[in-house]
Amino acid sequence: MADDPHALQPGASIAGYNIIRVLGAGGFGITYEADSPFTGKRVAIKEFFPRGIASREGKTRIVYAARDAEVVQWALKRFESSTLDQCKLKHPNIVDVIHYVKDNDTGYMIMEYVEGRTLEHWLREREFLPTQEELQPLIGPVIEALEYLHERRMIHRDIAPDNIMIRADGQPMIIDFGAIKLIGQETQLRSDALSFAVMKQFYSPPEQIEEGGKIDHRADIYSIGAVLYRAFSGRPPASAEERMQKLAFRKPDPYLLLSEEAPHVAPDLANVVDRALSFDANRRQA
């Protein structure tokens, strides 16, 4: 990530914070670690940067071709409104979004910097698969946080093991909402010339990759089911894309039941996970 040619360089200033390094990047955004030279406070900053149609002029300013101006402005406005919605959320297990800044002809989401390791790293570092008792303190609060979102008619859209951070004290935190993936998906529909990755393989439900698919809170249920499946079995479930292709050609669903892949898991819990991963959203938990 440090060699990303599109990224802001270390030392660049955004809203008084100096960029330290790139934390991650996708089709529509680049996320940085930054700090304040005055307070020493560290933050994470997500920059709206649609790859393929955006470029940098100088070291900071972003420019677009005239033909893309309308769709970019629409997408940027959605990024702004999504950030402002997230600023209203207050939950101990959801990353705190602090501010939104317009600069360099783009937008920046400024949020708390969560230090720790991802759930994916936690799982990979283990010698043995985790038990239900070991996972409960990490997954239980995440499910409660999703309930909090759904009560407010919001959807995360990007629950996955690498979007769940575990602090040094063991507190799990949901980071990186998938709103920018929705922006990417809708933008792709608005412009045939554009193509962006809008799904997370193995953790996104079928409706999230289907053109015109309706997404509601059951998308998050599918994703958290996939997280549990990966944790208990040591591997993620069959991807929604593979399942769609097989079923389209009237072949068996390649999804393997958790009870078969992880026989040590209690049958009732395995059934809960299998139901959450139903291809048909109507068969998942409400």
Side-chain angles (χ1 to χ4, degrees):
M1 289 297 181
D3 298 327
D4 188 340
H6 301 291
L8 291 168
Q9 296 300 303
S13 180
I14 300 296
Y17 294 98
N18 292 339
I19 300 297
I20 298 173
R21 63 186 175 112
V22 175
L23 295 174
F28 261 76
I30 305 175
T31 305
Y32 308 91
E33 178 186 352
D35 67 359
S36 167
F38 302 105
T39 66
K41 182 179 179 62
R42 279 198 296 173
V43 297
I45 300 178
K46 174 167 282 190
E47 177 184 47
F48 179 82
F49 189 98
R51 292 170 187 267
I53 57 176
S55 59
R56 290 212 189 267
E57 184 177 84
K59 295 182 178 180
T60 54
R61 183 169 173 263
I62 293 179
V63 293
Y64 313 94
R67 68 177 182 276
D68 299 319
E70 184 178 348
V71 70
V72 166
Q73 288 308 310
W74 173 86
L76 184 55
K77 188 65 178 176
R78 288 296 299 268
F79 178 61
E80 177 182 341
S81 62
S82 170
T83 300
L84 297 179
D85 285 341
Q86 291 178 52
C87 282
K88 301 173 186 175
L89 299 175
K90 298 298 175 188
H91 191 279
N93 302 104
I94 298 177
V95 65
D96 188 20
V97 177
I98 303 167
H99 194 32
Y100 180 79
V101 175
K102 296 179 181 180
D103 199 3
N104 300 324
D105 288 333
T106 190
Y108 297 89
M109 175 193 295
I110 302 177
M111 53 197 143
E112 68 170 309
Y113 177 78
V114 180
E115 191 166 12
R117 53 182 171 168
T118 67
L119 177 62
E120 180 64 30
H121 286 145
W122 183 82
L123 290 168
R124 289 184 180 183
E125 290 169 356
R126 294 180 56 85
E127 184 177 359
F128 302 106
L129 294 173
T131 64
Q132 181 179 349
E133 289 72 26
E134 289 173 315
L135 271 181
Q136 175 60 34
L138 303 179
I139 300 298
V142 171
I143 293 174
E144 291 176 4
L146 290 177
E147 272 189 317
Y148 171 85
L149 290 176
H150 296 167
E151 287 171 357
R152 286 154 181 77
R153 300 181 181 275
M154 296 181 69
I155 313 168
H156 186 278
R157 302 177 189 272
D158 203 19
I159 293 295
D162 58 358
N163 276 342
I164 299 172
M165 292 290 294
I166 304 172
R167 294 188 190 272
D169 63 0
Q171 181 185 13
M173 299 288 295
I174 296 178
I175 62 171
D176 202 14
F177 276 60
I180 203 160
K181 286 183 167 56
L182 172 65
I183 293 168
Q185 191 171 42
E186 294 190 17
T187 301
Q188 191 168 329
L189 295 175
R190 287 168 175 254
S191 177
D192 294 336
L194 304 179
S195 179
F196 303 97
V198 295
M199 63 167 287
K200 182 150 288 185
Q201 190 180 29
F202 306 119
Y203 300 99
S204 294
E207 61 269 23
Q208 197 159 323
I209 62 175
E210 182 181 19
E211 185 173 336
K214 183 180 178 182
I215 300 176
D216 58 23
H217 65 281
R218 291 171 296 185
D220 286 342
I221 291 174
Y222 184 100
S223 297
I224 195 67
V227 169
L228 286 166
Y229 190 105
R230 184 264 177 269
F232 284 129
S233 71
R235 64 180 68 87
S239 70
E241 188 174 36
E242 181 187 2
R243 297 177 74 180
M244 289 178 71
Q245 290 174 347
K246 295 289 187 182
L247 294 172
F249 287 97
R250 300 185 182 278
K251 294 183 178 180
D253 187 343
Y255 176 78
L256 300 175
L257 295 174
L258 182 62
S259 57
E260 298 174 0
E261 292 297 287
H264 61 284
V265 175
D268 287 349
L269 177 57
N271 289 336
V272 167
V273 174
D274 289 333
R275 184 181 174 192
L277 285 163
S278 297
F279 188 87
D280 183 353
N282 292 320
R283 295 183 179 179
R284 299 175 206 152
Q285 293 89 337

